[in-house]
Amino acid sequence: NAGVTQTPKFRVLKTGQSMTLLCAQDMNHEYMYWYRQDPGMGLRLIHYSVGEGTTAKGEVPDGYNVSRLKKQNFLLGLESAAPSQTSVYFCASSYSRVGETQYFGPGTRLLVL
Amino acid sequence: LAKTTQPISMDSYEGQEVNITCSHNNIATNDYITWYQQFPSQGPRFIIQGYKTKVTNEVASLFIPADRKSSTLSLPRVSLSDTAVYYCLATDKLIFGTGTRLQVFP
């Protein structure tokens, strides 16, 4: 099992460009999450999904959109990137939310110039 | 929202026991407390989880008192490889604090 994988590992964008980050999990988990982590900070929840076709906002959703068309994939989109979105993005998944362990991917480093 | 508070950093030496306390005054009835470990350039990794009293696994112990307003992660006999950032999380709220940066010295 690969667990949780993220694509790409690193990306540089110019202000105003768009991109999509892909998260994939092979553990048949229902719940998936996108977090961002700024230098020296903890993780902040952007969006999450409780199942295929569903999404919900987290703590810092502005400037991001997500989609969960397939159970194993969770996409994070930036429509018009801003320097403030320079961060490391982590995806995670869990079987359910309450009381369940989250499994994290290796992260995507995004630099917006 | 239930927010957790931890010390920003702690130092220890190899072989010592390290206790990291997390304060979570507004924890909800259905919240579990989960601790994660994060190394540089990696995603967080699950260490231990509990609801109340004491839980022990092969790497750590977690003590949660009856009022559940705090929890203590105990790492027995730390080694250099335990140098990392440790986060406590009230599970239902999905809110990570800034974590505790543990530095283990030889």
Short mmCIF file of all heavy atoms in Angstrom, two decimals, chain A residues 1-37:
data_model
loop_
_atom_site.label_atom_id
_atom_site.label_comp_id
_atom_site.label_asym_id
_atom_site.label_seq_id
_atom_site.Cartn_x
_atom_site.Cartn_y
_atom_site.Cartn_z
N ASN A 1 0.83 -1.20 0.00
CA ASN A 1 0.00 0.00 0.00
C ASN A 1 0.86 1.26 0.00
O ASN A 1 1.81 1.36 0.77
CB ASN A 1 -0.88 0.04 1.24
CG ASN A 1 -2.02 -0.94 1.15
OD1 ASN A 1 -2.23 -1.55 0.12
ND2 ASN A 1 -2.75 -1.10 2.23
N ALA A 2 0.51 2.22 -0.87
CA ALA A 2 1.26 3.46 -0.93
C ALA A 2 0.84 4.41 0.18
O ALA A 2 1.55 5.35 0.48
CB ALA A 2 1.07 4.13 -2.29
N GLY A 3 -0.37 4.22 0.75
CA GLY A 3 -0.85 5.14 1.76
C GLY A 3 -1.44 6.37 1.11
O GLY A 3 -2.30 6.29 0.24
N VAL A 4 -0.94 7.54 1.52
CA VAL A 4 -1.40 8.81 0.97
C VAL A 4 -0.27 9.40 0.12
O VAL A 4 0.85 9.56 0.62
CB VAL A 4 -1.78 9.81 2.08
CG1 VAL A 4 -2.22 11.13 1.47
CG2 VAL A 4 -2.87 9.22 2.96
N THR A 5 -0.57 9.70 -1.12
CA THR A 5 0.43 10.30 -2.00
C THR A 5 -0.05 11.66 -2.48
O THR A 5 -1.27 11.90 -2.59
CB THR A 5 0.71 9.41 -3.23
OG1 THR A 5 -0.52 9.18 -3.93
CG2 THR A 5 1.29 8.07 -2.80
N GLN A 6 0.89 12.54 -2.76
CA GLN A 6 0.57 13.88 -3.20
C GLN A 6 1.38 14.22 -4.45
O GLN A 6 2.56 13.89 -4.55
CB GLN A 6 0.88 14.92 -2.11
CG GLN A 6 0.01 14.78 -0.88
CD GLN A 6 0.30 15.86 0.15
OE1 GLN A 6 0.51 15.58 1.32
NE2 GLN A 6 0.28 17.11 -0.29
N THR A 7 0.72 14.91 -5.36
CA THR A 7 1.36 15.34 -6.60
C THR A 7 1.01 16.79 -6.86
O THR A 7 -0.17 17.16 -6.76
CB THR A 7 0.84 14.49 -7.79
OG1 THR A 7 1.00 13.11 -7.48
CG2 THR A 7 1.62 14.81 -9.04
N PRO A 8 1.97 17.66 -7.23
CA PRO A 8 3.41 17.41 -7.29
C PRO A 8 4.06 17.55 -5.92
O PRO A 8 3.39 17.86 -4.95
CB PRO A 8 3.89 18.53 -8.22
CG PRO A 8 2.97 19.68 -7.88
CD PRO A 8 1.64 19.05 -7.62
N LYS A 9 5.35 17.33 -5.85
CA LYS A 9 6.09 17.52 -4.60
C LYS A 9 6.48 18.97 -4.41
O LYS A 9 6.60 19.45 -3.27
CB LYS A 9 7.35 16.65 -4.60
CG LYS A 9 7.07 15.17 -4.47
CD LYS A 9 8.37 14.37 -4.41
CE LYS A 9 8.10 12.91 -4.05
NZ LYS A 9 7.12 12.27 -4.93
N PHE A 10 6.71 19.68 -5.49
CA PHE A 10 7.15 21.06 -5.42
C PHE A 10 6.68 21.81 -6.66
O PHE A 10 6.67 21.23 -7.76
CB PHE A 10 8.68 21.13 -5.32
CG PHE A 10 9.23 22.53 -5.31
CD1 PHE A 10 9.03 23.35 -4.21
CD2 PHE A 10 9.94 23.04 -6.38
CE1 PHE A 10 9.53 24.65 -4.18
CE2 PHE A 10 10.44 24.34 -6.37
CZ PHE A 10 10.22 25.15 -5.27
N ARG A 11 6.28 23.07 -6.47
CA ARG A 11 5.82 23.84 -7.61
C ARG A 11 6.06 25.32 -7.35
O ARG A 11 5.92 25.80 -6.21
CB ARG A 11 4.31 23.61 -7.81
CG ARG A 11 3.70 24.28 -9.02
CD ARG A 11 4.07 23.60 -10.32
NE ARG A 11 3.53 24.32 -11.47
CZ ARG A 11 2.35 24.08 -12.01
NH1 ARG A 11 1.58 23.13 -11.51
NH2 ARG A 11 1.94 24.78 -13.04
N VAL A 12 6.44 26.02 -8.41
CA VAL A 12 6.59 27.47 -8.36
C VAL A 12 5.54 28.08 -9.28
O VAL A 12 5.44 27.68 -10.44
CB VAL A 12 7.99 27.92 -8.78
CG1 VAL A 12 8.09 29.45 -8.74
CG2 VAL A 12 9.05 27.30 -7.89
N LEU A 13 4.79 29.02 -8.77
CA LEU A 13 3.77 29.70 -9.55
C LEU A 13 4.02 31.19 -9.55
O LEU A 13 4.62 31.73 -8.61
CB LEU A 13 2.38 29.47 -8.95
CG LEU A 13 1.71 28.11 -9.07
CD1 LEU A 13 0.36 28.14 -8.38
CD2 LEU A 13 1.57 27.69 -10.52
N LYS A 14 3.51 31.85 -10.58
CA LYS A 14 3.49 33.31 -10.58
C LYS A 14 2.13 33.77 -10.08
O LYS A 14 1.12 33.06 -10.22
CB LYS A 14 3.74 33.84 -11.98
CG LYS A 14 5.15 33.55 -12.51
CD LYS A 14 5.35 34.14 -13.90
CE LYS A 14 6.76 33.86 -14.41
NZ LYS A 14 6.96 34.41 -15.78
N THR A 15 2.10 34.92 -9.47
CA THR A 15 0.85 35.48 -8.98
C THR A 15 -0.19 35.49 -10.10
O THR A 15 0.09 35.92 -11.22
CB THR A 15 1.06 36.90 -8.46
OG1 THR A 15 1.96 36.87 -7.35
CG2 THR A 15 -0.24 37.52 -8.00
N GLY A 16 -1.38 34.98 -9.77
CA GLY A 16 -2.47 34.95 -10.73
C GLY A 16 -2.62 33.64 -11.47
O GLY A 16 -3.67 33.38 -12.07
N GLN A 17 -1.58 32.81 -11.44
CA GLN A 17 -1.69 31.51 -12.10
C GLN A 17 -2.56 30.56 -11.29
O GLN A 17 -2.80 30.77 -10.10
CB GLN A 17 -0.30 30.89 -12.30
CG GLN A 17 0.52 31.56 -13.38
CD GLN A 17 1.83 30.85 -13.63
OE1 GLN A 17 2.52 30.42 -12.70
NE2 GLN A 17 2.21 30.74 -14.91
N SER A 18 -3.01 29.53 -11.96
CA SER A 18 -3.84 28.54 -11.29
C SER A 18 -3.14 27.19 -11.30
O SER A 18 -2.25 26.94 -12.13
CB SER A 18 -5.20 28.41 -11.97
OG SER A 18 -5.04 27.93 -13.30
N MET A 19 -3.52 26.34 -10.37
CA MET A 19 -2.98 24.98 -10.36
C MET A 19 -3.86 24.09 -9.51
O MET A 19 -4.69 24.57 -8.73
CB MET A 19 -1.55 24.94 -9.84
CG MET A 19 -1.39 25.04 -8.35
SD MET A 19 0.24 24.49 -7.79
CE MET A 19 0.22 22.75 -8.23
N THR A 20 -3.67 22.80 -9.68
CA THR A 20 -4.40 21.81 -8.90
C THR A 20 -3.43 20.86 -8.25
O THR A 20 -2.52 20.35 -8.91
CB THR A 20 -5.37 21.02 -9.80
OG1 THR A 20 -6.30 21.92 -10.40
CG2 THR A 20 -6.12 19.98 -8.98
N LEU A 21 -3.62 20.64 -6.95
CA LEU A 21 -2.84 19.66 -6.21
C LEU A 21 -3.69 18.40 -6.08
O LEU A 21 -4.88 18.46 -5.75
CB LEU A 21 -2.48 20.17 -4.82
CG LEU A 21 -1.34 21.18 -4.68
CD1 LEU A 21 -1.68 22.50 -5.34
CD2 LEU A 21 -1.02 21.40 -3.21
N LEU A 22 -3.04 17.26 -6.31
CA LEU A 22 -3.75 15.99 -6.25
C LEU A 22 -3.33 15.19 -5.03
O LEU A 22 -2.15 15.07 -4.72
CB LEU A 22 -3.47 15.17 -7.51
CG LEU A 22 -3.97 13.72 -7.50
CD1 LEU A 22 -5.50 13.67 -7.40
CD2 LEU A 22 -3.47 12.96 -8.70
N CYS A 23 -4.31 14.66 -4.34
CA CYS A 23 -4.07 13.75 -3.22
C CYS A 23 -4.77 12.43 -3.53
O CYS A 23 -5.93 12.43 -3.95
CB CYS A 23 -4.62 14.34 -1.93
SG CYS A 23 -4.49 13.23 -0.52
N ALA A 24 -4.07 11.35 -3.33
CA ALA A 24 -4.65 10.03 -3.56
C ALA A 24 -4.35 9.12 -2.38
O ALA A 24 -3.26 9.17 -1.82
CB ALA A 24 -4.07 9.41 -4.84
N GLN A 25 -5.36 8.31 -2.00
CA GLN A 25 -5.17 7.35 -0.91
C GLN A 25 -5.72 5.99 -1.34
O GLN A 25 -6.74 5.91 -2.03
CB GLN A 25 -5.82 7.83 0.39
CG GLN A 25 -7.27 8.24 0.29
CD GLN A 25 -8.27 7.15 0.63
OE1 GLN A 25 -7.90 6.05 1.05
NE2 GLN A 25 -9.55 7.45 0.44
N ASP A 26 -5.03 4.95 -0.90
CA ASP A 26 -5.42 3.59 -1.29
C ASP A 26 -5.88 2.76 -0.09
O ASP A 26 -5.80 1.54 -0.11
CB ASP A 26 -4.27 2.89 -2.03
CG ASP A 26 -3.02 2.72 -1.17
OD1 ASP A 26 -3.04 3.13 0.01
OD2 ASP A 26 -2.00 2.22 -1.69
N MET A 27 -6.35 3.44 0.96
CA MET A 27 -6.78 2.76 2.17
C MET A 27 -8.30 2.68 2.30
O MET A 27 -8.81 2.31 3.35
CB MET A 27 -6.17 3.48 3.38
CG MET A 27 -4.65 3.42 3.39
SD MET A 27 -3.90 4.44 4.69
CE MET A 27 -4.04 6.06 3.97
N ASN A 28 -9.01 3.09 1.26
CA ASN A 28 -10.47 3.07 1.26
C ASN A 28 -11.05 3.95 2.37
O ASN A 28 -12.12 3.64 2.92
CB ASN A 28 -11.00 1.63 1.39
CG ASN A 28 -12.43 1.50 0.89
OD1 ASN A 28 -12.83 2.16 -0.07
ND2 ASN A 28 -13.20 0.65 1.54
N HIS A 29 -10.37 5.04 2.68
CA HIS A 29 -10.85 5.94 3.72
C HIS A 29 -11.98 6.82 3.21
O HIS A 29 -11.97 7.27 2.07
CB HIS A 29 -9.70 6.81 4.23
CG HIS A 29 -8.75 6.09 5.12
ND1 HIS A 29 -7.52 6.61 5.48
CD2 HIS A 29 -8.84 4.89 5.74
CE1 HIS A 29 -6.91 5.77 6.28
NE2 HIS A 29 -7.69 4.71 6.44
N GLU A 30 -12.93 7.08 4.10
CA GLU A 30 -14.05 7.95 3.74
C GLU A 30 -13.67 9.43 3.80
O GLU A 30 -14.12 10.22 3.00
CB GLU A 30 -15.22 7.69 4.68
CG GLU A 30 -15.92 6.35 4.50
CD GLU A 30 -16.63 6.25 3.17
OE1 GLU A 30 -17.04 7.29 2.62
OE2 GLU A 30 -16.75 5.11 2.64
N TYR A 31 -12.88 9.79 4.82
CA TYR A 31 -12.60 11.19 5.08
C TYR A 31 -11.24 11.59 4.50
O TYR A 31 -10.26 10.86 4.63
CB TYR A 31 -12.59 11.47 6.59
CG TYR A 31 -13.94 11.40 7.24
CD1 TYR A 31 -14.60 10.19 7.39
CD2 TYR A 31 -14.54 12.55 7.72
CE1 TYR A 31 -15.85 10.14 7.99
CE2 TYR A 31 -15.78 12.51 8.33
CZ TYR A 31 -16.43 11.30 8.47
OH TYR A 31 -17.65 11.26 9.06
N MET A 32 -11.22 12.78 3.90
CA MET A 32 -9.96 13.32 3.40
C MET A 32 -9.89 14.81 3.74
O MET A 32 -10.92 15.48 3.87
CB MET A 32 -9.82 13.09 1.89
CG MET A 32 -9.75 11.61 1.51
SD MET A 32 -9.38 11.30 -0.21
CE MET A 32 -7.63 11.67 -0.27
N TYR A 33 -8.66 15.29 3.89
CA TYR A 33 -8.44 16.64 4.39
C TYR A 33 -7.31 17.32 3.62
O TYR A 33 -6.35 16.67 3.22
CB TYR A 33 -8.04 16.61 5.87
CG TYR A 33 -8.81 15.64 6.73
CD1 TYR A 33 -8.47 14.29 6.78
CD2 TYR A 33 -9.89 16.07 7.50
CE1 TYR A 33 -9.17 13.40 7.57
CE2 TYR A 33 -10.58 15.18 8.30
CZ TYR A 33 -10.23 13.85 8.33
OH TYR A 33 -10.93 12.97 9.11
N TRP A 34 -7.39 18.64 3.52
CA TRP A 34 -6.27 19.45 3.03
C TRP A 34 -5.90 20.45 4.12
O TRP A 34 -6.77 21.19 4.62
CB TRP A 34 -6.63 20.20 1.75
CG TRP A 34 -6.44 19.40 0.51
CD1 TRP A 34 -7.41 18.88 -0.29
CD2 TRP A 34 -5.19 19.06 -0.10
NE1 TRP A 34 -6.83 18.22 -1.35
CE2 TRP A 34 -5.48 18.32 -1.26
CE3 TRP A 34 -3.85 19.31 0.23
CZ2 TRP A 34 -4.48 17.82 -2.10
CZ3 TRP A 34 -2.87 18.81 -0.61
CH2 TRP A 34 -3.19 18.08 -1.75
N TYR A 35 -4.60 20.48 4.45
CA TYR A 35 -4.07 21.42 5.41
C TYR A 35 -2.99 22.25 4.73
O TYR A 35 -2.35 21.82 3.78
CB TYR A 35 -3.40 20.70 6.59
CG TYR A 35 -4.31 19.92 7.50
CD1 TYR A 35 -4.59 18.58 7.26
CD2 TYR A 35 -4.84 20.50 8.64
CE1 TYR A 35 -5.40 17.85 8.11
CE2 TYR A 35 -5.66 19.77 9.51
CZ TYR A 35 -5.93 18.46 9.23
OH TYR A 35 -6.72 17.74 10.08
N ARG A 36 -2.71 23.42 5.30
CA ARG A 36 -1.54 24.16 4.92
C ARG A 36 -0.70 24.40 6.17
O ARG A 36 -1.24 24.53 7.28
CB ARG A 36 -1.87 25.49 4.24
CG ARG A 36 -2.64 26.49 5.06
CD ARG A 36 -2.83 27.80 4.32
NE ARG A 36 -1.59 28.57 4.24
CZ ARG A 36 -1.44 29.69 3.56
NH1 ARG A 36 -2.46 30.20 2.88
NH2 ARG A 36 -0.28 30.33 3.54
N GLN A 37 0.61 24.45 5.98
CA GLN A 37 1.52 24.69 7.08
C GLN A 37 2.52 25.75 6.67
O GLN A 37 3.33 25.54 5.78
CB GLN A 37 2.25 23.41 7.50
CG GLN A 37 3.11 23.59 8.74
CD GLN A 37 3.70 22.29 9.25
OE1 GLN A 37 4.08 21.42 8.48
NE2 GLN A 37 3.77 22.15 10.57
#
